[in-house]
Amino acid sequence: MGVILREFSFKLNGQPVSVKAPPAYTLLETLRYVIRLTGTKDGCSSGDCGACTVLLDGRAVHSCLTLISHVQGREVVTVEGVDPKIVKAYASEGAVQCGYCIPGLVVATAALLREHPKPSTEEVREMLKGNLCRCTGYVKIVKAVEAAAGV
Amino acid sequence: MTVEARWVGREIARRDALEKASGKTKFASDMVPDNLLWVATLRSKHPHARILKIDVSKAAKMPGVVGVFTHRDVPNNRYGVFFKDRPVLCDDRVRYIGDPVALVAAESREEAEEAVDEILVEYEPLPVVSDPLKALDPASFKIHENGNVCRATRITFGDVEKALQDCKAVVENTYRTMPQIHAYLETEAGVSYIDDKGRITVVAGGQSPYRDHHEIVSTLNLPADKVRVVIPNVGGAFGGKDDISVQIHLALVTWKTGRPARLVWSREESTISGTKRHSSIVKMKTGASADGKLTANYVEIVYDTGAYAALGPAVLDVAIETCNGPYKIPNIDVRAWLAYTNNMVASAFRGFGAPQVHFAMEQQVDQLAEELGFDPLEFRLLNCVRKGDYGVFRNKLVGSVGISKCLETLKNHRLWRERASLKDVRTYPWVKRGVGVAAAMKGYTLGALPDKGSVGLELRLDGGFTVKGSFTEIGQGVVQAVSQLAAELLKTSIDKIEVVFADTAETPDTSVTSASRQLFLAGNALRDAVNKMLERIGRGVEMVCGRPVAEVHLSEGYVQTSSGIRIPLTEVAETLERAGLGRSVVGVFDVPRVEPIPGSLEIPHLFYMFGAALAVVEVNVLTGVVSVNELVAVADVGRAINPQTLTGQLEGAAAQGIGYALLEDVKISEGRLLTTNLSTYLIPSIKDVPEIEAIAVEDHEDSGPFGAKGIGEIGIIPVAPAIANAIYDAVRKRPFTAPMTPERVYWLVKKQD
Amino acid sequence: MRSLADVDVLSPASVDEALEILHQKAGGIKIVAGGTDLIVQMKHRIIGKTDLLNIYMLDELRYIRLENGSVRVGGLTDFATIHKSPVVRTAAPVLAEAASTIGSVQILNKASIAGNIVNASPAADSLPALYVLEADLHLRSKASSRTVPIRDFYKGYKKLDMRPDELLVEVSFKQVGDGYLGKFFKHGLRQGDAIAVVNGAVLLKWDASSKAVSEARIALGAVAPTVVRAEKAEAILVGSRLEETAIVNASRAVQESISPIDDVRGSAAYRREMSTNYVYMTLRMLAEMVRK
């Protein structure tokens, strides 16, 4: 296999970065294996679970379905760059059990609150329907979002 | 009796939550050691085949490949807790589509993947045995040398045949449940390396570091002190990481190459090669007298354990033990079979054999109540066991028995009282509403099997304490609960408590983290450790004071004697250190048990959990879609150590129960899994789960730490039958197969027209 | 799941540049837009490895315009944008409704309308809506430009009227006027994100003066190799007053237009029943709207 390497520049959590990676690597692979930033989790690599959610130009996307080539010149925010008040709300409301899905949920929540600063329960459910959690039954996740929004 | 407590019973945010939510926690799958080898697995593509030849020569010469490993590299190529029937890497045969045949270790992920494709395996396909009933036929093709009956047993008390003749009402049905996939968000994952003491160290998601350690040293024939197993925070387990996955493979690669290695299963590998909940076929003939007393239960249980036994033999025992529900039934006759098939391996999954038989029994109970004209909750209350009663195995129930409290809670619940008006709400004519309940029971501890665990406790030089145990943090919050117990017992602030867990080099053996009893076990061992620590501190105080002291008490970093002397723990710690007396103790708890009854492995337990659920559902009769509008999950928890983590466990278990009941349909065709990913195997999303109401009732367990009992599994058990009973209430047609997917419910309803 | 580390990605700066590359490499390169289907397919060996033409940054293909009674949607427009677009919500509410069901928020933010069309899954959720809107697809190559009605675009299961050097640049359809009522439906096996077992769209024109249906369009997905129009059912509805008999007859008549198969999500028999029942429920709901 002839591995191809290219250089890509983008903004990661507010900082400009340059990274050499195969152009068809996903953003998830680049974050975890090249940059070694592992807060973004790999649950299925198929866009089915939401654990790898990041913000691309402010919108929630699957980093496992985003090529590093898609990211060139854009802005990426991972869990490491999200408003800590959301992280704190998840922790204090007991929404964290095994915790593997939570970074993705935290990022999805950041996108949700950007669109709906005071979301209804319906809006929370609609916006987080792509983030699977196997531990919590989602009850405390809804509470965490509401706590982060101050509703 | 409830003891006044400062840390026990308090809702405190988990100590690991912030780090996990911020993405800082390193799970096994996040570890990428320097200079590592990437490992890829070649798996069988046949559900059943003889291996004629394995040729790795081409793969071994591929660029970047450091090693290709097969069964020839494994000194003792069989492992397993009950039967050593499972190969580390297949030699003579493959028995299911995920069976591992070879491993490639290479310098990059890509090179490992490429080389796997170049391994040549010649197979001779064998007949595929996919149906467990056919597998049990002596004429069927043998998957293992001794045939396809992995285990068969019969347990009977009283005279069922005669009792059934005397019954006023008898119902007889056959129920089926499909396998369930754990679908933890973190797949099976690990890394391995040689540590600074020269030990082959495996850091991998698991539930029992000492058991994993045992399986590694016994298969690879290594000295016990040359292997170390560490289990970091695990991204979900639910029983699915109770068995070996990547551990032996990783140890093999590092043993053979001396290099660090990383092996993480893809989602597809996880769904195919990870263990499952057993699929079941349960036939029941249950009878009750005119006055509403259950008198007889005839049960036939067939569980499909797939290609290998794994923990199946014990799962079958729990099925036998719980198939009569939490009821007094004087006559029982239970026959049970565990079948080998060429399906995926089944083993532990939250509930451990109980959900399947409850799906049957709790529907039997509803049918009998209806036939005899009883309210379903009253009927259950009339029959349920109470403390001091004798159970169906003539076993005295000496522990806490909170089932009547659970059922009373539902009886008084608004949704039950107002169920008639609730059902009246109309949306569209094709939408029907129903309300259903179910009860549940399951033993915690390993029952009649030996179960002993140790917990270490160290007085640190800074005056705080470190608790050490091999319990694993699989999401359930045991580390938090242990910290709260330790702070309570040591009368100190919780931030003075450190917990070190799940490392065979650092922590004593606290036995396995399973059977909902780690807190019970570790908590009791910790209590013993605290007593020993008080003695040790007493000796330290004596050295400081220079005279004997009768009794010591701890208080916020100080030790006090009855004569009023008050010394900081830091000083005691220094004194003990200087004198070489040691600052560490080990507490031990040998779980009380009785001898197993004939025909069983672990029946009966001394300790049981109880629970109940109420479901309000809507059934769309034109589509078969069932939605759960309300779900109340009640569990008898003995005593809540941390109400927040406790309700979290109940809510999560209930959500898995909704998935099991309605969504999670494993489709297998001739041993081939068709639902290999999270787009075909659907677990509940946030839109599929209502705002679950979790209610903990506390029926104090005298043997438990501060009265606490096991709670990890009970929450899932009553959910599927409660939903089934609610569906019946809505459409007057009984679902005998779970999951009750839209298609199954659609045909069920349609058939009656 | 295989690595794509050896796959090259060409990222042109303009549509013209993209068309030039397609012209030169026609057949040897695959177009990737949002990547929500293609990346998984390539990693799971459903499609072969080829180099990729990344058009994701071609913002000139992201627009929604209303011009002369026609809605023009740039091929790269994502479904979140389509779902929220005031133009689409007014001019084609049935598409706005379909757009929101395509997947999770993460998918909607990335998946493009052209990608959904070209990926050609018979279960694609935007397609039944585009069928009842009778959308036109605008294809460009270096040398040519042409328009294909969506019904003619699909020649069979995943078979398209599209040359390897062409790019789907725009989707357009006539604005839905007064008196039109539309509804999208989707039967997934989970209330969260799930692929459709059956989906469909119904668009009716209600003539208020005669109190009858004057035009009917019904499209169904996941029940044939391509999305289909249920013409027999449409014919039954035209002239009806959406009374129960007409609704029952029309929903039964969809059977003549479909040819479902068994797959992991459902049996053919179940898909047949769902086709009729969903059309029935949808027509009942539309009838209620009309009566209000």
Side-chain angles (χ1 to χ4, degrees):
Chain A
M1 172 186 277
V3 172
I4 301 168
L5 286 177
R6 291 256 160 72
E7 183 143 335
F8 296 93
S9 303
F10 56 101
K11 240 186 190 179
L12 179 60
N13 297 325
Q15 299 296 316
V17 292
S18 262
V19 57
K20 261 199 176 138
Y25 250 31
T26 62
L27 176 57
L28 178 65
E29 289 167 316
T30 311
L31 288 169
R32 288 175 64 84
Y33 304 136
V34 183
I35 303 175
R36 304 250 171 136
L37 200 59
T38 57
T40 308
K41 303 302 179 193
D42 180 1
C44 71
S45 275
S46 301
D48 297 323
C49 78
C52 71
T53 304
V54 299
L55 301 181
L56 179 60
D57 290 343
R59 302 166 88 203
V61 299
H62 293 117
S63 61
C64 75
L65 299 182
T66 299
L67 297 177
I68 187 65
S69 294
H70 282 149
V71 168
Q72 171 64 35
R74 294 177 192 262
E75 197 169 342
V76 173
V77 175
T78 65
V79 66
E80 289 88 352
V82 165
D83 184 349
K85 102 179 161 190
I86 299 171
V87 171
K88 280 182 198 145
Y90 271 81
S92 63
E93 293 300 316
V96 182
Q97 288 187 29
C98 93
Y100 200 79
C101 69
I102 300 297
L105 272 155
V106 164
V107 176
T109 301
L112 156 67
L113 295 182
R114 182 184 284 233
E115 201 168 319
H116 306 282
K118 301 281 170 198
S120 67
T121 307
E122 279 318 296
E123 283 162 345
V124 173
R125 288 179 184 272
E126 187 59 30
M127 295 284 287
L128 298 184
K129 71 179 180 183
N131 289 79
L132 299 177
C133 170
R134 191 57 155 165
C135 293
T136 64
Y138 304 104
V139 177
K140 292 175 169 55
I141 287 172
V142 174
K143 287 195 179 126
V145 176
E146 287 168 354
V151 295
Chain B
M1 186 194 76
T2 300
V3 184
E4 274 306 310
R6 185 174 157 212
W7 296 101
V8 162
R10 256 180 74 183
E11 190 156 306
I12 308 168
R14 285 171 61 149
R15 49 174 56 199
D16 57 356
L18 204 58
E19 200 172 278
K20 282 177 169 176
S22 61
K24 291 193 186 99
T25 299
K26 292 277 182 200
F27 294 87
S29 56
D30 294 329
M31 297 173 185
V32 187
D34 288 334
N35 190 35
L36 89 165
L37 295 171
W38 298 76
V39 184
T41 313
L42 176 70
R43 298 182 183 282
S44 167
K45 288 181 176 61
H46 297 274
H48 201 190
R50 193 165 282 131
I51 297 178
L52 302 177
K53 192 175 153 194
I54 305 173
D55 179 1
V56 303
S57 55
K58 195 174 170 203
K61 288 184 210 125
M62 297 280 289
V65 172
V66 173
V68 183
F69 306 103
T70 66
H71 65 91
R72 290 183 282 264
D73 300 295
V74 185
N76 299 317
N77 195 28
R78 289 290 183 282
Y79 70 96
V81 173
F82 288 95
F83 303 122
K84 292 204 177 297
D85 61 355
R86 197 166 183 182
V88 175
L89 291 165
C90 294
D91 36 51
D92 58 335
R93 257 202 226 187
V94 291
R95 294 182 179 83
Y96 78 107
I97 48 166
D99 237 355
V101 177
L103 301 170
V104 175
E107 298 291 348
S108 73
R109 188 159 57 104
E110 287 75 22
E111 287 161 331
E113 282 169 15
E114 292 239 305
V116 158
D117 290 345
E118 300 302 328
I119 300 172
L120 300 174
V121 186
E122 266 178 50
Y123 293 104
E124 177 196 332
L126 295 171
V128 176
V129 185
S130 194
D131 177 337
L133 291 181
K134 285 187 188 147
L136 292 173
D137 181 342
S140 78
F141 195 90
K142 285 190 173 68
I143 297 165
H144 290 274
E145 223 171 284
N146 297 329
N148 300 336
V149 181
C150 180
R151 188 181 165 214
T153 190
R154 179 182 177 188
I155 290 173
T156 179
F157 285 91
D159 187 339
V160 163
E161 211 175 312
K162 183 175 174 302
L164 282 171
Q165 282 165 9
D166 298 338
C167 283
K168 169 79 176 165
V170 174
V171 293
E172 183 176 359
N173 294 296
T174 301
Y175 301 83
R176 285 183 167 74
T177 63
M178 296 296 123
Q180 186 178 22
I181 302 179
H182 304 78
Y184 15 72
L185 268 288
E186 187 194 31
T187 58
E188 293 78 355
V191 295
S192 53
Y193 54 88
I194 309 279
D195 77 357
D196 54 3
K197 293 206 167 67
R199 290 173 292 211
I200 296 167
T201 303
V202 174
V203 183
Q207 293 182 224
S208 308
Y210 280 89
R211 191 152 75 197
D212 295 349
H213 181 273
H214 168 77
E215 299 283 32
I216 292 168
V217 300
S218 64
T219 51
L220 302 185
N221 210 10
L222 294 167
D225 62 357
K226 282 290 167 205
V227 174
R228 174 183 176 192
V229 174
V230 181
I231 301 185
N233 281 288
V234 181
F238 318 115
K241 291 174 184 168
D242 219 346
D243 291 86
I244 286 291
S245 58
V246 298
Q247 294 85 351
I248 304 174
H249 292 169
L250 280 166
L252 175 64
V253 171
T254 292
W255 175 42
K256 292 284 179 182
T257 64
R259 299 263 307 265
R262 178 181 193 268
L263 177 53
V264 178
W265 287 2
S266 70
R267 178 54 60 188
E268 287 70 23
E269 283 182 293
S270 176
T271 57
I272 292 169
S273 298
T275 59
K276 312 279 170 287
R277 185 188 302 289
H278 292 74
S279 69
S280 75
I281 302 163
V282 178
K283 189 173 149 187
M284 275 192 184
K285 191 171 180 183
T286 315
S289 58
D291 60 353
K293 290 280 176 61
L294 291 165
T295 55
N297 202 17
Y298 174 82
V299 187
E300 288 178 12
I301 298 168
V302 176
Y303 276 20
D304 176 1
T305 205
Y308 301 104
L311 297 171
V315 170
L316 193 71
D317 241 39
V318 170
I320 296 166
E321 191 178 17
T322 61
C323 69
N324 299 295
Y327 306 112
K328 286 173 286 193
I329 309 178
N331 305 286
I332 59 156
D333 184 355
V334 185
R335 300 165 195 221
W337 293 265
L338 188 68
Y340 281 123
T341 65
N342 295 119
N343 297 326
M344 291 132 308
V345 182
S347 192
F349 192 153
R350 193 180 222 163
F352 206 81
Q356 297 96 318
V357 288
H358 275 78
F359 180 70
M361 183 60 183
E362 284 300 297
Q363 293 201 69
Q364 292 285 96
V365 168
D366 251 35
Q367 290 166 77
L368 286 170
E370 189 183 17
E371 267 194 40
L372 295 169
F374 279 83
D375 170 281
L377 273 177
E378 293 294 353
F379 186 75
R380 286 175 171 84
L381 276 163
L382 190 64
N383 285 288
C384 72
V385 288
R386 284 152 214 271
K387 188 170 181 169
D389 280 351
Y390 285 84
V392 290
F393 306 106
R394 310 298 188 255
N395 52 319
K396 189 163 190 197
L397 300 171
V398 294
S400 140
V401 178
I403 183 62
S404 55
K405 282 188 189 173
C406 293
L407 293 168
E408 294 282 356
T409 304
L410 288 185
K411 197 177 119 183
N412 297 321
H413 196 280
R414 172 186 60 86
L415 292 173
W416 186 251
R417 283 187 281 108
E418 296 172 5
R419 65 189 188 281
S421 57
L422 214 69
K423 284 179 64 177
D424 259 356
V425 179
R426 294 257 166 248
T427 49
Y428 292 102
W430 49 80
V431 175
K432 313 280 182 205
R433 282 191 173 196
V435 182
V437 291
M441 58 92 70
K442 182 187 176 291
Y444 61 103
T445 75
L446 304 185
L449 294 173
D451 189 16
K452 187 172 161 179
S454 306
V455 165
L457 183 62
E458 179 193 343
L459 169 63
R460 295 194 310 267
L461 289 171
D462 67 2
F465 294 92
T466 302
V467 183
K468 298 175 182 180
S470 74
F471 40 80
T472 53
E473 183 49 72
I474 51 180
Q476 83 281 39
V478 70
V479 170
Q480 178 64 29
V482 164
S483 328
Q484 287 184 230
L485 285 177
E488 190 69 51
L489 291 165
L490 295 161
K491 302 205 167 35
T492 185
S493 168
I494 198 160
D495 54 21
K496 297 276 190 211
I497 305 291
E498 277 178 17
V499 180
V500 177
F501 61 94
D503 181 343
T504 57
E506 297 289 332
T507 61
D509 187 354
T510 324
S511 187
V512 294
T513 296
S514 54
S516 295
R517 66 150 210 353
Q518 189 50 267
L519 177 61
F520 179 79
L521 174 60
N524 276 313
L526 177 64
R527 188 191 286 276
D528 183 49
V530 168
N531 289 336
K532 288 173 176 161
M533 178 58 77
L534 286 175
E535 278 175 35
R536 183 69 55 86
I537 288 172
R539 293 191 61 190
V541 172
E542 287 172 354
M543 296 184 75
V544 174
C545 304
R547 58 185 155 87
V549 292
E551 210 180 326
V552 294
H553 300 276
L554 300 182
S555 171
E556 295 308 315
Y558 287 85
V559 55
Q560 279 173 300
T561 68
S562 40
S563 55
I565 298 169
R566 187 175 148 90
I567 305 167
L569 281 173
T570 46
E571 197 181 332
V572 177
E574 274 164 29
T575 306
L576 288 171
E577 180 75 8
R578 272 199 310 272
L581 280 176
R583 291 175 285 109
S584 294
V585 297
V586 174
V588 181
F589 184 62
D590 202 343
V591 179
R593 62 193 171 99
V594 292
E595 284 305 304
I597 58 170
S600 87
L601 301 172
E602 55 166 86
I603 299 173
H605 285 72
L606 277 178
F607 305 102
Y608 291 96
M609 320 176 256
F610 297 92
L614 181 155
V616 181
V617 303
E618 269 182 14
V619 184
N620 182 326
V621 297
L622 290 184
T623 65
V625 171
V626 177
S627 47
V628 181
N629 288 6
E630 310 262 7
L631 188 70
V632 184
V634 191
D636 159 25
V637 305
R639 173 97 188 263
I641 304 294
N642 181 333
Q644 190 185 61
T645 54
L646 175 87
T647 49
Q649 282 286 295
L650 296 178
E651 289 154 7
Q656 282 178 354
I658 291 175
Y660 188 51
L662 298 175
L663 301 172
E664 299 180 29
D665 203 13
V666 164
K667 295 202 172 151
I668 303 170
S669 167
E670 285 300 296
R672 285 170 201 279
L673 181 69
L674 305 176
T675 45
T676 56
N677 55 42
L678 296 175
S679 104
T680 46
Y681 185 75
L682 301 175
I683 65 170
S685 77
I686 196 167
K687 289 185 85 174
D688 297 275
V689 180
E691 196 184 332
I692 296 160
E693 184 182 350
I695 303 173
V697 303
E698 296 189 324
D699 193 82
H700 194 269
E701 170 54 59
D702 298 336
S703 302
F706 293 90
K709 54 201 279 190
I711 53 114
E713 297 169 279
I714 192 69
I716 194 173
I717 301 170
V719 175
I723 290 174
N725 287 335
I727 291 173
Y728 174 81
D729 187 46
V731 300
R732 312 305 292 171
K733 190 83 183 173
R734 195 154 279 287
F736 294 112
T737 303
M740 297 162 276
T741 56
E743 180 157 2
R744 284 203 186 95
V745 172
Y746 179 75
W747 295 124
L748 176 79
V749 176
K750 173 122 179 164
K751 258 185 270 161
Q752 77 183 348
D753 297 335
Chain C
M1 180 76 68
R2 62 177 167 186
S3 167
L4 304 182
D6 55 342
V7 167
D8 202 1
V9 181
L10 305 182
S11 298
S14 68
V15 171
D16 287 338
E17 203 184 309
L19 294 175
E20 179 61 39
I21 295 169
L22 281 176
H23 172 70
Q24 285 172 14
K25 300 207 166 196
I29 197 163
K30 285 196 174 71
I31 302 166
V32 59
T36 53
D37 283 313
L38 186 107
I39 292 168
V40 179
Q41 290 171 3
M42 203 174 269
K43 286 195 152 201
H44 283 108
R45 302 166 190 250
I46 296 163
I47 57 171
K49 267 191 200 179
T50 61
D51 287 345
L52 298 173
L53 177 69
N54 167 29
I55 59 167
Y56 189 64
M57 72 295 301
L58 300 182
D59 286 342
E60 56 188 298
L61 295 180
R62 288 193 171 87
Y63 55 86
I64 299 172
R65 293 185 202 120
L66 182 60
E67 285 172 10
N68 305 323
S70 272
V71 180
R72 314 179 74 83
V73 182
L76 269 183
T77 311
D78 63 73
F79 285 107
T81 305
I82 291 170
H83 171 61
K84 287 174 209 152
S85 155
V87 169
V88 176
R89 286 189 170 206
T90 322
V94 68
L95 178 61
E97 201 185 341
S100 71
T101 72
I102 280 165
S104 58
V105 170
Q106 291 89 330
I107 295 287
L108 297 189
N109 281 336
K110 200 114 184 302
S112 67
I113 189 164
N116 205 227
I117 292 168
V118 172
N119 183 52
S121 162
D125 293 313
S126 74
L127 295 184
L130 293 172
Y131 266 66
V132 297
L133 292 167
E134 299 186 337
D136 284 326
L137 309 182
H138 303 275
L139 300 160
R140 268 186 67 192
S141 67
K142 189 187 173 193
S144 71
S145 169
R146 65 191 179 108
T147 299
V148 185
I150 194 160
R151 278 186 86 166
D152 301 336
F153 186 65
Y154 297 100
K155 300 293 182 194
Y157 177 71
K158 296 226 170 194
K159 286 205 182 77
L160 309 180
D161 175 9
M162 185 175 182
R163 296 195 312 268
D165 67 335
E166 283 181 315
L167 187 65
L168 173 55
V169 292
E170 188 184 275
V171 181
S172 69
F173 47 84
K174 284 206 185 69
Q175 176 180 15
V176 170
D178 288 345
Y180 278 93
L181 293 165
K183 199 152 180 53
F184 174 81
F185 61 79
K186 173 173 180 174
H187 183 47
L189 297 178
R190 165 170 71 183
Q191 292 173 47
D193 184 18
I195 290 171
V197 178
V198 174
N199 57 13
V202 178
L203 189 66
L204 302 177
K205 187 169 191 195
W206 182 253
D207 187 301
S209 55
S210 63
K211 292 208 163 100
V213 173
S214 60
E215 195 184 340
R217 299 179 202 165
I218 299 173
L220 291 162
V223 288
T226 68
V227 173
V228 292
R229 283 280 291 271
E231 282 164 353
K232 186 82 186 289
E234 293 172 355
I236 291 171
L237 288 174
V238 172
S240 85
R241 293 164 178 273
L242 285 183
E243 68 279 12
E244 184 73 9
T245 329
I247 289 176
V248 168
N249 290 341
S251 51
R252 283 188 184 147
V254 303
Q255 294 297 324
E256 300 190 20
S257 308
I258 63 176
S259 51
I261 54 165
D262 293 330
D263 75 5
V264 68
R265 295 189 173 84
S267 68
Y270 182 59
R271 284 195 159 91
R272 284 202 169 273
E273 301 270 325
M274 289 309 98
S275 301
T276 287
N277 291 358
Y278 267 93
V279 170
Y280 171 81
M281 290 186 290
T282 306
L283 290 172
R284 282 276 305 250
M285 290 178 208
L286 290 173
E288 255 175 52
M289 283 162 66
V290 162
R291 292 197 182 100
K292 277 176 197 160

